[in-house]
């Protein structure tokens, strides 16, 4: 298909005819009514799906082949119909080995009906497709109910929601089991029959299986529906119609529940993912918000009117349950808020400051205020206040902690933002903006940092609110008390072995806390005094000391085999000198498959330590440059000095502790452990080593390859880093991460029967022992992380009850604050629901959950999802690779053809006169993409697989960046970004094809088109994940979410990756500066190989007087440049006709014809090529000046100093006796080609004379320079040339306007 698009039109017509026949062959028929038949049909459609994607996405082809437009429309129409059916059955049969035959027959009939209806009317609109498909889906749902469910099972008549835990009463009616237990009166809600108090409601296995099958069907319908709306209803082809917007908004809002449903008391229950076809307000919030976000992609203003209309209708109809109205309004606010984030940090500051400084809450409190404008205003306020929280935390916390990096960003802008927030607080009639700010501070940074910020910025607190002034009373000791109580019980039992294990723990804690206790004191009293000391402790590491305290007692008492090694490190560190330690990195270079790509490849190392692969050869044959700046490779198979071959035949993984400074650590997985599991294991390891210091410091130091001066400080730093990395891995604040470590220690105490119970892991003598230990550790962490959300919520609730001084702050953060009294009616702004804090689902959160699904010996179960989620920050920019490749080609051309190109900036390149609007827009987009990707690389180089050598590359890319930095040279930002984006595309496609077994298509960089690229954003990934989730809301209000990662991975492959090609990285633009062919270089080489002469007088006269087309001259110059570059290398006969050379040697027939058609150029020979090039170039500049454009915009500003009026007059007089055409041509050549080698302070006359002497006789030189003043300097050269142009007689006598075309 790609090949035919570049050939003659009839070939494309044959391809369209072929596809037309194929589509008719695969139209849905009764052959789909068996599972095998349906599976085979899906395989056949999938086989040509990429071809249809190319035709559907390439608008150029649609425009090019208008003669067959009817055929093209027919093919696209048939494909739309076929693809809708394909999507449904693909979702339905995914991961299934069989399906109920009766249901399948019913479904096939429905979609055969859809296909026929749509193909009968080819000019259908998206709104009609939507209406037809939703009707059929409702019918399909009825079919599924009839097949799977018995009467009364579909909905629970108590909660009006779908059931996932059915229970049957004696009367035969079925409800949710949780609701039956909660009924006060033991009476059926349908038939009113009583049932016994001691009756245990239950359902048969058949009923439970039927309910599960039906729910599963609905989930598949939901995932199909989202893909259908995204691809077939909305798509990427402009703003949808009013009818489509109205339908989707109605679908998002749904119909108000009937009064009889509203009056039923609703109790929290398990809520599965609800079908988008359910006509009540209980539709899944995920589905609704996802659809609304899809609509918002087209701009708020385009759907504003429709939302306002529907909001008004809803408000009138909903009279029984106002909470539904509030929930819907908050969903709109939340979606609007998500769409407000601009691309850069500076833009965030400006947007937030603008919103807060102009905010007038009173304007949106009246009844006349538009509902949708009010919701938009609330969303804007929430967005701005959230950013204020970020700025305040950065300012206050960084100022208080010298170890934290100083705030980055514009300080004045940030202070203006804070001042705008203060002004808003002063004028606001409600404290909700302040409350929302406090919620952000507490949830994002923790309660201790929030208290510090509130003490420094007292204006944040609403009137009448007081927060404890003491932040040092915050403690996690309550989480340690269970193990302390257990220790006391062990002491009371008098078990000598258990008591003996507690003695060293108590001794170590006495030393750390510096608590001298008399030796005769009982162990129980000693423990009491240690706990009391903790309560009064003012140590800066108090929170970390509690972790160490908890670790010590847990290790002493735990029966888990995982605790054995840590216990030895704590109390007998001399015995672990021969042991491998958990989570310590291995010898990465030993695994040669990480470096070698072929059987004949060898591995070499640069002086800086970077590894390089020499492909298909033992010795290098090409010299390149490492990122450190050193030369690598070799010439004629002789390696460069210091570029040494290495043979890694022995694993050099060391025993003991090999981690360096905590400041260089990052949140990364290690072998089979996820980043979060690594952090927990290392927290235990570093706590143990801290305790071991007080047992035998020398033994601990002997374990370490790096021996710091203050070993205790070293491990305190690592423990703090463990918690910091855990917070990042789990998307939590530091306080939550610290609580997580305590909760895990509790979990470890209760997991004695874990996998590996019979293993002896006192010492890990081999790497296999370590691997088994880490596998066992992972088996313990997986169930722990699944329950973490609930356990953290429980701890916060417990803390809220126990802590008095900070309880108000906790209540605010937990949305459990009592309602405000005596507040004016502020409408939507005054609703507490509008100011709820919602933890956003982040990629990091999903990554953490996904990594817990990793199973031993299976590798990753979801490799495509891991690839996407771990690299989505850069993958979302892959779609702009075609723009970047085009930019780099243009930059190479620009750099080669402009003198001193290395001094020009990106802005000067973009200001070129011959860039079209489309080119300018595409290049700006490409530069912005490079800027974003480069920023990501610099922040996380290891995650980007790109090594960045400090100080070798710019920290930022902007308009003032040199063009040189974007050229695809080995040390440029442009090269690294292009290489990374190609690598990301290839990695995703390769990972997906290993699952789908599709045949990979391989293309060169020249063949890259927009439809070839991955096109997936972070928002796409999060939305699709949420659609494939189900959640359970428990009685205490906590929510547990379960994600269907398997279905999600299949959708990601089908929607975004399937059919995409692999790009050969070696075909990307590449430019070596030492081989650069500048204009000066090219012209010098041409003169060496082909003797040159000036063009004749007639040609010169025609060019200078008659040529007026800028485009025609530009095209001719491009041809001349290409021909000259070939002549510089290949030589040629000076007498040969130029047009004939272009046609036969360069194979450029069209360009040759153009040369023959231009008067004065047609008879030119190769010996005239440079003179012709020089003359046409000068003439183009003359025309550009006449068009009020600057042909010298790329010439450095130091040569643009204007002449005084007096000097201009003198120059005009001096030039009156000079051949001005020749003067303009020769001076133009010096400016364009040679000026970069001249100093601006040099004299113009002498420099011009020296330039001309190399190429002309003395009489010619005297004629052009003899009357020039010695006062003229090169800094005035551009002004001199323009003055000469104004003096020229042709320009004075003839004011014909040039023709830009």
């Amino acid at each position: 298909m790609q090949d035919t698009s570049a050939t003659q039109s009839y070939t494309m017509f044959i391809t369209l005819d072929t596809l037309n026949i194929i589509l008719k062959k695969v139209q849905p028929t009764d052959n789909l009514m068996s599972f095998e038949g349906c599976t085979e049909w899906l395989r056949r459609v999938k086989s040509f799906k990429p071809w249809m994607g190319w035709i559907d996405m390439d608008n150029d082809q649609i425009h090019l082949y208008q003669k067959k437009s009817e055929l093209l429309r027919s093919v696209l129409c048939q494909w739309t119909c076929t693809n809708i059916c394909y999507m449904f059955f693909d979702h339905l049969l995914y991961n299934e080995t069989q399906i109920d035959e009766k249901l399948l027959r019913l479904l096939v009939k429905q979609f055969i009906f859809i296909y026929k209806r749509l193909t009968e009317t080819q000019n259908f609109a998206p709104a009609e497709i939507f209406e037809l498909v939703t009707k059929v889906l409702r019918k399909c749902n009825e079919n599924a109910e009839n097949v799977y469910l018995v009467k009364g099972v579909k909905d629970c008549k108590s909660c009006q929601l779908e059931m996932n835990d059915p229970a049957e009463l004696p009367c035969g009616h079925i409800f949710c089991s949780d609701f039956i237990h909660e009924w006060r009166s033991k009476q059926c809600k349908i038939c009113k029959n009583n049932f016994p108090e001691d009756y245990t409601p239950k359902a048969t296995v058949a009923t439970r299986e039927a309910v599960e099958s039906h729910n599963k069907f609905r989930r598949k319908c939901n995932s199909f529906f989202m893909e259908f709306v995204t691809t077939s209803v909305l798509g990427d082809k402009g703003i949808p119609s009013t009818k489509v917007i109205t339908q989707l908004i109605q679908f998002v809002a749904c119909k108000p529940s009937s009064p009889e449903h509203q009056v039923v008391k609703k109790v929290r229950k398990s809520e599965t993912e609800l079908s988008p076809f359910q006509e009540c307000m209980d539709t899944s919030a995920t589905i609704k918000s996802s659809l609304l976000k899809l609509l918002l992609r087209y701009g708020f203003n385009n759907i504003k009117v429709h939302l306002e209309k529907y909001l008004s209708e809803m408000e009138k109809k909903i009279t029984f349950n106002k909470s539904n109205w509030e929930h819907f309004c908050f969903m709109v606010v939340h979606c609007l808020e998500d769409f407000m984030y601009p691309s850069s940090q500076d833009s965030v500051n400006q947007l937030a400051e603008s919103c807060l400084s102009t905010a007038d809450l009173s304007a949106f409190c009246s009844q006349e205020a538009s509902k949708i404008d009010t919701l938009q205003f609330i969303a804007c306020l929430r967005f701005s206040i959230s950013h204020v929280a970020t700025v305040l935390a950065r300012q206050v916390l960084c100022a208080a902690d010298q170890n934290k990096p100083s705030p980055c960003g514009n300080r004045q802008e940030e202070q203006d933002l804070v001042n705008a927030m203060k002004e808003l607080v002063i004028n606001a009639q409600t404290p909700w903006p302040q409350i929302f700010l406090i919620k952000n501070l507490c949830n994002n940074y923790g309660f201790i940092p929030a208290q510090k910020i509130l003490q420094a910025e007292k204006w944040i607190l609403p009137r009448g609110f007081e927060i404890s002034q003491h932040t040092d009373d915050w403690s996690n000791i309550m989480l340690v008390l269970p193990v302390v109580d257990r220790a006391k019980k062990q002491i009371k039992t008098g078990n000598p072995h258990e008591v003996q294990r507690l003695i060293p723990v108590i001794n170590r804690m006495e030393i750390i806390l510096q608590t001298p206790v008399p030796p005769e004191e009982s162990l129980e009293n000693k423990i009491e005094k240690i706990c009391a000391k903790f309560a009064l402790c003012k140590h800066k590491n108090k929170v970390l000391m509690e972790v160490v305290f908890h670790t010590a007692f847990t290790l002493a008492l735990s029966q888990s085999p995982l605790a054995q090694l840590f216990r030895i490190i704590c109390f007998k560190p001399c015995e672990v000198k021969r042991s491998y330690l958990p989570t310590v990195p291995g010898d990465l270079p030993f695994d040669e498959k990480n470096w070698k790509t072929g059987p004949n490849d060898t591995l070499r190392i640069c002086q800086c330590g970077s590894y390089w692969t020499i492909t298909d050869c033992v010795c290098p044959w090409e010299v390149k440059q490492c990122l450190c700046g050193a030369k690598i490779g070799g010439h004629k198979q002789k390696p460069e000095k210091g570029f040494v071959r290495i043979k890694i035949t022995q694993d050099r993984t060391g025993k003991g502790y090999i981690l360096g400074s905590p400041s260089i650590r990052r949140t990364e997985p290690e072998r089979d452990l996820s980043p979060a599991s690594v952090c927990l294991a290392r927290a235990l390891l570093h706590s143990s080593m801290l305790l071991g210091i007080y047992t035998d410091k020398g033994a601990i130091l002997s374990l370490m390859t790096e021996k710091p001066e203050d070993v205790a400080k070293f491990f305190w730093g690592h423990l703090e880093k463990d918690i910091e990395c855990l917070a990042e891995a789990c998307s939590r604040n530091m306080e939550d991460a610290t609580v997580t470590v305590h909760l895990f220690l509790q979990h470890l105490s209760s997991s004695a029967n874990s996998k590996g119970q019979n293993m002896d892991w006192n010492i890990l003598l081999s790497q296999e022992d370590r691997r088994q230990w880490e596998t066992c550790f992972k088996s313990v962490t997986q169930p722990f992380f699944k329950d973490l959300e609930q356990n953290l919520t429980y701890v916060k609730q417990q803390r809220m009850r126990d802590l008095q001084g900070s309880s108000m702050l906790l209540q605010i953060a937990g949305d459990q604050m009592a309602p405000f009294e005596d507040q004016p009616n502020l409408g939507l702004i005054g609703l507490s629901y509008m100011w709820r804090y919602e933890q956003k689902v982040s990629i990091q959160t999903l990554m953490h959950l996904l990594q817990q699904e990793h199973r031993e010996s299976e590798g990753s179960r979801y490799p495509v999802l891991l690839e996407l989620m771990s690299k989505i920050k850069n993958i979302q920019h892959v779609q702009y690779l075609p723009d970047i490749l085009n930019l780099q080609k243009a930059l190479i051309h620009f750099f080669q053809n402009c003198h001193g190109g290395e001094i020009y900036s990106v802005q000067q390149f973009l200001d070129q006169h011959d860039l079209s609007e489309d080119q300018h827009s595409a290049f700006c987009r490409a530069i912005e993409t490079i800027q974003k990707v480069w920023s990501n690389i610099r922040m996380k180089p290891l995650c980007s697989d790109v090594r960045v050598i400090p100080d070798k590359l710019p920290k930022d890319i902007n308009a003032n960046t040199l063009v040189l930095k974007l050229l695809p040279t080995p040390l440029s930002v442009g090269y690294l970004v292009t290489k990374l984006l190609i690598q990301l595309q290839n990695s995703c496609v390769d990972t997906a094809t290993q699952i789908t077994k599709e045949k990979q298509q391989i293309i060169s960089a020249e063949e890259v088109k927009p439809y070839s690229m991955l096109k997936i954003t972070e928002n796409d990934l999060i939305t699709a994940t949420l659609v494939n989730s189900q959640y359970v809301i428990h009685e205490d209000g906590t929510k547990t979410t379960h994600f269907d990662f398997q279905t999600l991975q299949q959708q990601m492959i089908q929607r975004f990756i399937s059919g995409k090609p692999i790009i050969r990285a070696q075909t990307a633009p590449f430019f070596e500066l030492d081989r650069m062919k500048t204009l000066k270089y090219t012209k010098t080489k041409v003169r060496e190989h082909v003797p040159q002469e000036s063009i004749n007088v007639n040609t010169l006269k025609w060019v200078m007087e008659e040529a007026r087309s800028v485009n025609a001259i530009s095209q001719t110059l491009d041809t001349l440049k290409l021909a000259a570059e070939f002549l510089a290398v290949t030589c040629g006969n000076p007498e040969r006709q130029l047009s004939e050379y272009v046609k036969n040697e360069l194979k450029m027939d069209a360009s040759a014809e153009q040369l023959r058609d231009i008067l004065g150029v047609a008879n030119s020979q190769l010996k005239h090529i440079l003179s012709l090039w020089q003359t046409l170039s000068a003439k183009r500049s003359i025309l550009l000046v006449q068009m009020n454009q600057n042909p010298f915009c790329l010439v450095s500003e130091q040569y643009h100093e204007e002449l005084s009026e007096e000097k201009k007059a003198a120059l005009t007089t001096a030039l009156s006796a000079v051949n001005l055409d020749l003067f303009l041509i020769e001076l133009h050549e010096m400016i364009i080609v040679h000026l970069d080698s001249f100093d601006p302070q040099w004299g113009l006359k002498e420099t011009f004379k020296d330039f001309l002497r190399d190429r002309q006789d003395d009489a010619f030189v005297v004629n052009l320079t003899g009357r020039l003043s010695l006062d003229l300097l090169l800094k005035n050269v551009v002004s001199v040339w323009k003055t000469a142009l104004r003096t020229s007689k042709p320009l004075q006598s003839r004011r014909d306007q040039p023709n830009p075309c």
Side-chain angles (χ1 to χ4, degrees), residues 50 63 133 147 228 266 322 358 436 460 479 498 535 769 788 862 951 973 1021 1065 1074 1126 1154 1186 1210 1288:
H63 175 73
V133 170
V147 169
F228 160 71
K266 296 200 175 181
K322 287 291 185 183
T358 59
F436 187 64
I460 299 176
L479 298 171
E498 299 292 344
D769 288 341
L788 179 60
Y862 312 110
D951 303 324
V973 172
L1021 194 51
D1074 57 345
F1126 270 82
Q1154 184 184 41
Q1186 292 177 359
S1288 65

Side-chain angles (χ1 to χ4, degrees), residues 800-852:
M800 201 178 302
R801 289 190 291 268
D802 294 344
L803 284 179
Q804 298 300 318
S806 300
S807 60
M808 180 59 70
L809 191 61
L810 286 161
Q811 289 174 8
I812 292 174
D815 281 321
Q816 298 188 14
M817 188 181 58
F820 293 109
E821 297 180 359
D822 303 325
Q823 287 292 310
N825 182 12
L826 302 176
L828 289 170
I829 292 177
L831 293 178
S832 61
Y833 209 86
M834 296 296 105
W835 303 100
R836 287 182 58 190
Y837 176 82
E838 287 280 334
Q839 182 73 43
K840 296 183 184 296
V841 176
S842 66
I843 291 294
Q844 189 63 46
T845 306
L846 297 176
M847 271 287 292
H848 168 62
L849 296 172
L850 194 61
Q851 286 160 344
Q852 305 313 311

Side-chain angles (χ1 to χ4, degrees), residues 22 75 141 170 194 226 312 327 366 399 448 494 517 555 583 601 620 747 1079 1092 1120 1129 1145 1198 1291:
I22 291 175
V75 167
N141 184 54
N194 295 325
M226 287 304 299
S312 300
H327 291 180
S366 66
I448 295 177
V517 180
L555 295 179
T583 74
D601 298 345
H747 179 75
L1079 286 176
Q1092 291 294 297
L1120 293 175
V1129 177
E1145 297 297 329
Q1198 58 188 341
L1291 185 62

Side-chain angles (χ1 to χ4, degrees), residues 245-246 249 292 300-316 325 328-329 332 336 364 366-376 828:
I245 294 174
T246 303
I249 289 176
L292 185 55
F300 171 70
N301 291 330
N302 290 317
I303 66 168
K304 172 181 174 180
V305 176
H306 310 285
L307 274 173
E308 177 67 28
K309 179 181 178 182
Y310 212 79
L311 281 168
S312 300
E313 292 178 4
M314 283 185 63
E315 189 177 26
K316 293 175 184 176
W325 160 253
F328 178 74
C329 288
V332 175
L336 290 170
F364 294 93
S366 66
Q367 294 295 325
E368 292 75 22
S370 162
K371 295 290 185 299
I372 190 61
D373 284 337
T374 303
L375 296 181
Q376 169 77 348
L828 289 170

Side-chain angles (χ1 to χ4, degrees), residues 864-1112:
V864 174
L865 290 185
L866 271 176
E867 185 77 14
L868 290 174
M869 290 185 182
S870 62
K871 301 173 181 177
I872 190 63
K873 290 289 186 184
N874 291 323
I875 287 176
Q876 62 187 348
H877 299 301
V878 168
Q879 59 183 302
Y880 302 114
L881 182 60
D883 291 335
I884 294 176
L885 295 176
N886 290 330
L887 170 68
Q888 291 183 337
K889 294 174 189 175
L891 286 173
I892 292 174
H893 178 81
F894 169 81
F895 196 81
Q896 288 180 321
N897 291 278
C898 289
H899 68 290
E902 63 275 4
I903 68 173
Y904 294 120
S905 68
V906 170
Q907 189 61 55
Q908 288 175 306
F909 165 75
L910 292 174
D911 289 341
Q912 292 179 92
H913 66 275
D914 52 354
L915 288 183
S916 67
E917 287 188 15
D918 289 343
Q919 283 180 311
H920 189 276
S921 176
F923 290 164
C924 287
R925 188 165 58 240
I927 292 168
E928 183 181 1
T929 301
I930 292 174
Q931 179 185 23
K932 292 176 181 177
V933 176
W934 180 239
S935 176
N936 293 339
I937 291 173
R938 287 193 61 84
M939 285 191 293
K940 292 190 175 182
L942 294 179
C943 297
S944 304
D945 298 326
V946 175
R947 290 194 66 175
V948 179
I949 305 299
D951 303 324
K952 287 289 185 181
L953 292 166
K955 294 182 179 180
D956 191 21
I957 300 296
N958 53 49
N960 296 320
T961 300
L962 295 179
V963 165
L964 185 63
K965 299 301 182 183
L966 296 188
L967 277 172
T969 60
L971 274 176
S972 75
V973 172
Y975 175 76
L976 293 176
V977 169
T978 304
K979 179 182 176 183
L980 174 62
L981 295 181
I982 291 176
Q983 176 185 320
L984 291 172
Q985 163 105 359
N986 293 350
S987 179
C988 288
V989 172
D990 186 61
T991 305
T993 52
Q994 290 179 25
I995 297 173
T996 62
K997 308 304 179 184
E998 290 180 358
K999 184 179 179 180
Q1000 289 184 351
Q1001 180 198 2
I1002 302 176
I1003 65 173
S1004 68
E1006 286 288 338
E1007 299 172 282
V1008 166
K1009 303 288 184 185
Y1011 56 75
S1012 308
M1013 308 311 301
L1014 297 178
K1015 190 177 181 182
I1016 177 171
T1017 65
E1018 189 171 344
N1019 192 54
D1020 290 330
L1021 194 51
I1022 291 176
T1023 299
T1025 304
L1026 293 176
V1027 170
N1028 287 283
S1029 65
Q1030 49 184 318
Y1031 60 89
V1032 176
I1033 302 177
H1034 304 277
E1035 291 184 26
D1036 60 358
T1038 59
K1039 183 172 74 174
T1040 304
T1041 308
H1042 305 285
F1043 297 98
D1044 186 354
F1045 288 125
Q1046 191 168 17
T1047 301
L1048 174 64
Q1049 178 168 270
Q1050 181 246 355
Q1051 289 180 9
M1052 291 296 101
I1053 294 173
Q1054 291 292 342
R1055 280 188 59 191
F1056 299 107
I1057 304 177
S1058 183
K1060 302 299 182 186
I1062 294 284
I1063 302 170
R1064 290 197 296 270
Q1066 62 270 28
T1067 62
F1070 187 75
F1071 187 67
E1072 294 191 61
L1073 290 176
D1074 57 345
R1075 298 181 184 177
M1076 180 186 69
K1077 296 180 178 62
T1078 61
L1079 286 176
K1080 186 176 180 180
Y1081 172 89
T1082 300
K1083 291 187 175 185
T1084 301
K1085 287 296 182 182
V1086 170
R1087 287 192 179 94
E1088 289 177 1
H1089 296 151
V1090 183
Q1092 291 294 297
E1093 295 180 6
S1094 299
I1095 56 177
N1096 59 47
V1097 176
N1098 291 332
T1099 302
L1100 177 64
K1101 183 177 180 181
W1102 179 88
V1103 170
M1104 296 305 291
E1105 296 185 6
E1106 302 298 332
R1108 296 192 190 93
S1109 172
V1110 175
N1111 272 0

Side-chain angles (χ1 to χ4, degrees), residues 751-806:
S751 59
N753 296 322
S754 62
K755 180 179 177 181
Q757 174 64 32
N758 299 323
M759 301 296 293
D760 181 10
W761 281 329
N762 287 330
I763 300 178
L764 306 180
L765 294 176
S766 67
Q767 292 190 60
E768 177 59 23
D769 288 341
R770 178 168 66 183
R771 189 195 66 78
Q772 291 183 7
W773 187 97
E774 290 175 347
T775 300
C776 180
F777 187 80
K778 180 178 180 179
S779 70
V780 174
T781 59
Q782 282 179 326
F784 166 76
F785 282 121
K786 287 183 178 178
D787 298 330
L788 179 60
E789 181 72 33
Q790 287 179 263
N791 292 333
L792 282 173
T793 302
Y794 174 79
V795 169
K796 291 177 182 178
Q797 292 173 344
Q798 183 69 29
R799 197 188 297 275
M800 201 178 302
R801 289 190 291 268
D802 294 344
L803 284 179
Q804 298 300 318
S806 300

Side-chain angles (χ1 to χ4, degrees), residues 506-519 521 525-537 545:
I506 296 171
N507 291 340
R508 303 301 173 274
M509 296 313 302
E510 288 175 354
I511 296 172
I512 292 174
L513 289 170
Q514 299 177 355
T515 309
V517 180
E521 192 89 40
N525 287 342
K526 286 185 177 183
I527 292 175
E528 290 288 350
K529 289 187 176 182
I530 289 172
C531 291
K533 180 71 173 180
F534 261 113
L536 301 173
C537 180
M545 290 173 69

Side-chain angles (χ1 to χ4, degrees), residues 638-649:
K638 183 179 180 181
E640 287 288 324
K641 185 178 179 181
F643 190 55
V644 183
R645 182 180 179 184
I646 55 173
K647 291 184 178 180
I648 304 176
T649 58

